[in-house]
Amino acid sequence: MKAYVFHGPGQSAWEDVPDPDIKDPTDAVVRVDTVTICGTDLHILKGDVPEVRPGTVLGHEAVGEVVEVGADVRTVRPGDRVLVSCVSACGRCRYCREAVYGQCLGGGGWILGHLVDGTQAEYVRVPFADLSVYALPAAVPSEDAVLLADIFPTAYEVGVLNGRVRPGDTVAVVGAGPIGLAVIAAAHLFAPERVIAVDVDPARLEAARRLGAEAVADAREAPEQLVADLTAGLGADVVVEAVGLPETFETCTRMVRPGGRVANVGVHGRPATLHLEDLWIKDVTITTGLVDTHSTPTLLKMAAAGRLPTSQLITHTFPLERMQEAYDVFGHAAETGALKVVLGGPQREVVPVPTA
Ligand SMILES: [Zn+2]
Ligand SMILES: [Zn+2]
C-alpha cells in the first residue's frame, strides 16, 4: 500500500510500505477513506517530537471501513464505517477506568502516527479497537466526521470543558487556527454572552466571526484592552490559549478576570513565565491537558444533528495520493489560507496548489 512516511526531520514521502495486518487480538485494520493533517504532524516533521522514529507512518485522524478485526474485538465488525480517534485506550489501566484515555498507561494514549504507524495511508492497524474506533452514524459525511478524530474533541474537552464555559460567560480565545475556531464553535454550545477571538491573521479573524465570535482583536494591538472594555474592566470569565507560545500564554493570564479560568490547549515548546506577582491574588484556575476523547460519542451525536459547523473549517480537499501537496498547502497556511485540509473520498474537488 501507499503511506506517508516520516524519515527524520524535513524528510518524508508518500511511498510503498507493507500492508498492515492484525498483530494483537484487540487490533482492527481499517481501510482509510478520509484523513486530515494536524499541526502536530508539522511539529513531527520539524523534529520537535523526537520519539517519532524514522520509518513511522504519520497521521492520527481518519475515517474508514473496518476490513479485519482480531479475535477479541467486540464493538466493530468488518464492513463497519468508523471514526479512528487520535487517542487509543487500553480500557484497563487506572486512567482508562476514569475515561482519561489520553494518559493511558496500558499502551494507548496518542500512539497513532507517533509510536506506531498512523492513518495517512491506504490502511491502518488500530490497536485496542474496541475503545479507539467509533461506528459512524450515516448522517455524518466522512469529511465532517474526520474533524471529530482530534480537533473537535480537543477544542471541546481541553478548551471548553476544562475552561468550564457557562451561560453568560465572556470567553476569549487566543489563536484562531483550526483548534481555536473549533473552540469558538464549541463554546457556543454553552450560550456564552460573547466570544472574543484574538489572532494576527485578518483571514482567520474573519473565519472566527463566521463561527460565532462577536468581537475580534489583533494580537499585536493590546487585545487585553478590548477584553477589558467589553467586560467593564473585569476581564474574561474564560480564556483559552490555542497557540502554544510563551507570549500568547502570558496574554491569556492578563485577560482573565479574578476568579476566572485559563484553559491551555496550545502545544508549547518553550517555557512561559507564570506571573505570580500578579496572579497570586486573583484566584485564577489554569488547566492543561491532552485530549482524552471521552466526548467523542457526544460530539458524534451533535454532528449528526447538524450542531457542529465542521465543514466551515475545511478549506482544501485532495485525493489521498496527493498527500505531499496537501502538506505543502497546510504547512504554508499564512499564504494559502488553509485551515483544515482533508484527503480522500471518491468525488472530491481538487484544489490546485497556488504558485508563489
Ligand atoms: Zn492532532
Ligand atoms: Zn489505559
Side-chain angles (χ1 to χ4, degrees), residues 89-96 101 103-108:
C90 82
R92 294 164 184 247
C93 73
R94 59 166 290 187
Y95 287 111
C96 283
Y101 308 124
Q103 308 297 332
C104 176
L105 296 169

Side-chain angles (χ1 to χ4, degrees), residues 6 21 32 42 67 70 90 96 193 205 209 219 225 233 252 262 267 333 335 339 348:
F6 173 68
D21 49 19
V32 173
L42 301 181
V67 292
C90 82
C96 283
E193 181 184 4
L205 290 175
R209 280 196 190 277
Q225 194 54 50
C252 291
V262 175
V267 177
E335 299 96 76
L339 292 172
R348 232 158 281 275

Side-chain angles (χ1 to χ4, degrees), residues 12-62:
S12 51
W14 178 253
E15 63 187 34
D16 286 307
V17 298
D19 286 359
D21 49 19
I22 302 288
K23 281 190 186 156
D24 294 310
T26 49
D27 289 347
V29 173
V30 173
R31 183 183 56 73
V32 173
D33 170 63
T34 306
V35 68
T36 180
I37 304 172
C38 181
T40 308
D41 298 321
L42 301 181
H43 280 291
I44 294 170
L45 286 177
K46 273 197 245 160
D48 294 345
V49 192
E51 65 270 23
V52 180
R53 291 183 315 251
T56 303
V57 176
L58 296 183
H60 49 265
E61 305 155 273

Side-chain angles (χ1 to χ4, degrees), residues 125-335:
R125 179 183 72 96
V126 184
F128 309 116
D130 275 340
L131 282 167
S132 310
V133 306
Y134 298 81
L136 274 175
V140 185
S142 297
E143 60 270 30
D144 293 319
V146 77
L147 300 193
L148 273 54
D150 182 350
I151 74 161
F152 267 87
T154 296
Y156 182 68
E157 295 175 16
V158 189
V160 174
L161 296 184
N162 278 0
R164 286 187 280 126
V165 174
R166 291 181 294 209
D169 275 354
T170 289
V171 181
V173 180
V174 177
I179 290 279
L181 294 172
V183 169
I184 293 167
H188 273 281
L189 300 172
F190 292 84
E193 181 184 4
R194 63 172 76 80
V195 176
I196 303 164
V198 179
D199 203 287
V200 293
D201 180 346
R204 290 190 162 196
L205 290 175
E206 193 47 47
R209 280 196 190 277
R210 285 198 302 276
L211 282 150
E214 284 81 3
V216 300
D218 189 312
R220 296 159 299 196
E221 292 169 9
E224 307 86 322
Q225 194 54 50
L226 174 70
V227 173
D229 290 347
L230 290 170
T231 55
L234 210 52
D237 301 285
V238 180
V239 186
V240 178
E241 205 284 353
V243 181
L245 293 173
E247 308 81 61
T248 46
F249 175 79
E250 290 164 31
T251 298
C252 291
T253 60
R254 288 194 300 271
M255 279 183 179
V256 67
R257 71 162 169 83
R261 285 88 64 196
V262 175
N264 183 82
V265 187
V267 177
H268 290 263
R270 288 186 283 136
T273 303
L274 185 62
H275 285 283
L276 284 173
E277 73 279 15
D278 300 321
L279 292 167
W280 71 273
I281 201 171
K282 284 181 74 178
D283 187 21
V284 164
T285 301
I286 297 173
T287 60
T288 68
L290 178 70
V291 66
D292 293 313
T293 66
H294 63 75
S295 70
T296 303
T298 303
L299 294 170
L300 282 170
K301 282 194 289 182
M302 301 296 279
R307 299 285 303 277
L308 296 178
T310 36
S311 52
Q312 290 192 47
L313 294 179
I314 301 170
T315 52
H316 297 75
T317 58
F318 297 89
L320 209 54
E321 65 272 17
R322 290 174 62 188
M323 186 68 72
Q324 186 58 56
E325 275 178 65
Y327 261 94
D328 293 342
V329 166
F330 185 64
H332 296 89
E335 299 96 76

